[in-house]
Amino acid sequence: MAFSFFNKLRNKKQHLKLIKQELDKVRDVIARQVEPFGPHVRPYMEHVCRGRGKMIRPGLVLLTAAATGGITEKHITYAAMLELLHMASLVHDDVLDKADTRRDIATPNALWGNELAVLLGDTMLAQAMVMGAELGDSRFIRRMALATRELCEGEVEQSTRLWDMDMTRAEYYELIRKKTAVLFALAMFGSAMLQGLDEEMVEQLERMGTLLGISYQIYDDCLDLTGSEDAAGKTLGTDAAKGKLTLPVFFLMEASNEDVAGYVHGCVAARQEIDFSRVRHTEAFAEAIRLSVAEGLSRNAEAREVLWMLPESEARSALAEMTYRLDEMLEDCCP
């Protein structure tokens, strides 16, 4: 099915303008999370909390709320909590990836070293849990804790399966569900649960979040091989250097071009960094990116189908626009 109304707005990228004021409130809540800490910790928290990300996960929380009855103060707090949790995971990711920049600013590990960066990420994670506990419902708190555990489990699993020739495509998808999609799913699940929606609707919105999160990780995997660091605003190429088996790498190992497939397969088997400059000009590389993008687009299309369960509104259209924007981001990765 097509959302004809949002087809007209896609290029204007207006999907978050509907909730601009609420997103500003979320940023204010995040900024206030430095207040509980003493003078030896507060400056580090202030530095990280000043970061301006894409606000995708808070956007999902707020648009889901707006499309299902209205945004409450609990949704604002929850959106801030989720973004803080995401930011904590990024601090840890940058340590693991040895990344120097993110969002065009130096990463905590580049500024202060790995040890302090890890401790800072832990501190942010703990503060996010405090915020979640203040929302009340024990079932809700347990669900957040389980999602956080899955996020950590995914990161541990990824770190222990570098260069793993035995990893299957299905295991790759389960891995990215844990390490990325779980927060997208939690955004829509938590928003719907705070709204008091029925169990079926909560489950469907959670499924939509999972699909979008998997698609977003596929985009990130493609961007790591095709993007420029200036445009992306972060260090790229770390996945390939560390031996992460991403979707484009799977497709390259399965390429009909035996030279390309053999080279990539051999590097993985020997635990050697793949020199993508050797294959980037080939049709096999272009095809691997196109196939990966198609996987992401398919999940976005499936996610959009969930929106027909919601009443027509500007917020529903904005959620559709978020999926279309992700379509465009994926398509921009194609050579």
Side-chain angles (χ1 to χ4, degrees), residues 76-95:
I76 299 291
T77 300
Y78 181 63
M81 182 227 77
L82 204 62
E83 184 68 3
L84 194 66
L85 180 57
H86 171 57
M87 292 162 66
S89 73
L90 294 183
V91 172
H92 287 154
D93 280 351
D94 289 338
V95 172

Side-chain angles (χ1 to χ4, degrees), residues 251 282-292 335:
F251 282 126
T282 66
E283 176 58 28
F285 179 84
E287 181 69 4
I289 299 299
R290 285 196 295 267
L291 289 170
S292 298

Side-chain angles (χ1 to χ4, degrees), residues 1-7 15 59-68 188 191-192 197 200-209 211-212 299-325 327:
M1 296 180 181
F3 283 78
S4 58
F5 172 70
F6 251 98
N7 287 339
H15 50 288
L60 280 174
V61 172
L62 298 177
L63 286 175
T64 301
T68 56
M188 302 193 77
S191 184
L197 301 185
E200 180 185 3
M201 195 67 248
V202 171
E203 288 179 357
Q204 286 297 319
L205 288 167
E206 181 180 24
R207 184 173 72 86
M208 180 179 176
L211 290 165
L212 292 177
R299 281 159 177 78
N300 286 344
E302 188 178 349
R304 276 192 289 273
E305 292 299 315
V306 175
L307 295 177
W308 291 102
M309 299 179 69
L310 301 179
E312 184 177 354
S313 67
E314 285 187 285
R316 188 188 76 168
S317 296
L319 283 168
E321 168 63 3
M322 290 188 78
T323 72
Y324 284 128
R325 175 59 186 139
D327 281 353

Side-chain angles (χ1 to χ4, degrees), residues 195-264:
Q195 201 71 284
L197 301 185
D198 64 69
E199 186 175 340
E200 180 185 3
M201 195 67 248
V202 171
E203 288 179 357
Q204 286 297 319
L205 288 167
E206 181 180 24
R207 184 173 72 86
M208 180 179 176
T210 297
L211 290 165
L212 292 177
I214 289 173
S215 179
Y216 188 83
Q217 185 58 54
I218 291 172
Y219 157 72
D220 206 51
D221 289 348
C222 293
L223 182 69
D224 196 63
L225 299 181
T226 64
S228 69
E229 294 192 356
D230 287 342
K234 65 177 181 178
T235 305
L236 297 178
T238 58
D239 290 348
K242 287 180 65 65
K244 297 178 185 177
L245 298 190
T246 62
L247 191 57
V249 173
F250 275 109
F251 282 126
L252 283 169
M253 289 194 291
E254 299 164 4
S256 58
N257 184 321
E258 293 181 2
D259 290 337
V260 171
Y263 169 69
V264 174

